[in-house]
Amino acid sequence: MKYLLYFTVITIVFFTSCINDNFSVGDNLVSPAARNILIDTSTVELYTGLSDSAVTSGLSRIFMGRYITSDFGTITAESYLMFSNPTYSSSDFGSEATVKVKLDSISLILKYDDFHYGDTTQVQTINLYKLKKIIELDDKSQLYNTSSVPADANPWVSYRFKRPTELSANDSLLEVRLPDEFGLELIRMMQAQSDTLDSEENFQRYFKGLRLSSGDTDNATINAFELGESYPVIRLYYHTYGVSSVEKSMDIKASATTAFSNIKQDRSGTLLAPLSLRNQYISSAETENKLYLQGLTGLYIKLRFPYINNLLKMGNFVKISTAYLYVYPVQGTYNAFTPLPANLALNYLDENGKPMELYVDGTTTSVQTGTLQEDKIYNKNTYYIFDISDYIESELGKFGVNSTTLQLQLSDTDKANTLKSLVIGDSKHAANRIKLVIYFVVYDK
């Protein structure tokens, strides 16, 4: 269910214009005067919106961690993994074994992805919980940021770590040692050639998988880990001995098709606290003239231009030349740990709130892309710019249900695969104001 918070806009459109000398076009019979005009004070209505859910299965990464910000609240990510049955050597294990085997250790190994969100200098906790049920995809073969699977109440393993820097000796892997009893049990089953290890289905009934969670009081970073053919794995280290001793290892691979991440956002104590799935829009007037968007938490920005038809009152005929939308990030809401996204996307929202591609011309639609223009010297004139000339032209003369709404969000890749975020100012923000600049021509008889 979607509820829309409307607020009374008492601001009227003031047109600040630069008008050139009149000039004539046409022939001797029809000679209208034309004026070139620039306006940059059109009212833009803005709302922060919340989408229902985001798909987190089938991605190339999983997320784990906890990070607190004054703008977005407490963000917690945890991941769920199942594992394939181990493939073992008959010469090392079983009735045909020619050597004896001794366990050295067993570990869960994760490979850091290049994405993280938060303060990587802080020590944090990873807790591993054994699942009580196997992971099952829904009827669309998907799982979401709101999905979860029951797990044990107490952690199986807890481990404190700090995400390594690029200059660290081992800057790519996180290795969490598992109980030796688990490794010894696997060795016994392999030596007995147990049916438990014959198939993935049998093995997952024995070991249903893991939930990877942060510490309850952590305030560090949301880590992303690679999900693919090589990682994550449970690695069994052992050595064989007989004539000589040989160190070996065996990998038990995670199932990429069923892995997913649950991502929670506690907005208590923030300006976004009233936002919920029952109250899916909140006006910038209620959030101190700021708007919020973020990837997998489902936050986006809705825009309307309620008084655009006032342009038609400027003359007998109005033709849009160009229209640019400037979006300014609010200073102080981004830093090295939470950098600005490189690109934003702008598209339609239909009457049901479903995203659609943006009007380009009479036969073409497309998602508009705004690229970050960064002021790295003074950090004052950083913005995203969108050319919405054709959209504004198409909106002239539309009223009521015929007019449309725009959605501002991250690019498709960032929206579906990261927690990148952005805070922007509306047209009344003290310092960083959104701006619609329109160049148009007015023809008078």
Side-chain angles (χ1 to χ4, degrees), residues 103-353:
L103 174 72
D104 293 324
S105 63
I106 186 169
S107 297
L108 172 69
I109 302 179
L110 305 165
K111 185 174 183 179
Y112 289 103
D113 185 271
D114 59 2
F115 173 78
H116 54 82
Y117 181 79
D119 187 351
T120 56
T121 67
Q122 299 298 313
V123 175
Q124 59 189 128
T125 304
I126 180 171
N127 291 318
L128 306 183
Y129 296 82
K130 295 174 75 173
L131 298 184
K132 299 168 73 172
K133 293 184 178 181
I134 64 171
I135 301 172
E136 294 181 337
L137 303 177
D138 69 0
D139 54 5
K140 296 181 180 179
S141 298
Q142 294 176 332
L143 290 167
Y144 308 87
N145 60 336
T146 55
S147 303
S148 62
V149 178
D152 290 346
N154 297 315
W156 187 38
V157 174
S158 291
Y159 180 68
R160 298 279 285 169
F161 71 100
K162 182 188 291 186
R163 181 164 179 142
T165 65
E166 294 180 358
L167 301 178
S168 301
N170 182 0
D171 64 352
S172 62
L173 299 179
L174 173 62
E175 185 164 358
V176 182
R177 184 161 179 171
L178 304 179
D180 286 350
E181 292 76 10
F182 180 53
L184 292 170
E185 179 67 18
L186 290 174
I187 288 176
R188 284 193 291 268
M189 286 191 289
M190 288 186 286
Q191 290 175 327
Q193 296 181 307
S194 169
D195 293 345
T196 300
L197 307 181
D198 283 350
S199 68
E200 188 173 276
E201 183 179 1
N202 287 350
F203 181 68
Q204 289 172 355
R205 278 199 293 263
Y206 158 71
F207 182 66
K208 297 175 178 61
L210 294 173
R211 186 184 83 198
L212 285 56
S213 301
S214 63
D216 292 339
T217 59
D218 280 3
N219 179 17
T221 188
I222 305 295
N223 300 281
F225 298 103
E226 288 187 11
L227 177 64
E229 179 64 25
S230 301
Y231 296 98
V233 295
I234 291 175
R235 183 165 293 165
L236 180 72
Y237 298 95
Y238 65 98
H239 66 268
T240 60
Y241 59 98
V243 177
S244 61
S245 178
V246 181
E247 293 182 351
K248 296 186 177 182
S249 65
M250 178 193 348
D251 284 351
I252 303 172
K253 297 181 178 181
S255 172
T257 57
T258 54
F260 73 98
S261 300
N262 176 289
I263 298 171
K264 298 183 178 71
Q265 185 179 32
D266 182 358
R267 293 178 288 272
S268 303
T270 72
L271 296 174
L272 294 174
L275 202 60
S276 69
L277 292 179
R278 291 182 59 85
N279 182 30
Q280 288 186 284
Y281 294 105
I282 183 169
S283 160
S284 61
E286 301 175 64
T287 52
E288 297 182 358
N289 304 114
K290 294 187 289 188
L291 291 303
Y292 305 79
L293 60 82
Q294 191 171 44
L296 287 167
T297 60
L299 296 175
Y300 63 91
I301 296 169
K302 190 173 76 166
L303 308 88
R304 291 182 64 247
F305 310 108
Y307 304 118
I308 203 68
N309 281 325
N310 284 4
L311 295 178
L312 298 175
K313 301 176 182 178
M314 302 290 288
N316 295 104
F317 178 74
V318 173
K319 173 65 177 176
I320 302 296
S321 298
T322 55
Y324 296 106
L325 181 69
Y326 292 84
V327 176
Y328 292 87
V330 173
Q331 291 182 12
T333 61
Y334 53 92
N335 52 45
F337 296 125
T338 56
L340 293 170
N343 298 286
L344 299 179
L346 191 67
N347 50 255
Y348 278 134
L349 281 178
D350 67 12
E351 65 275 9
N352 297 314

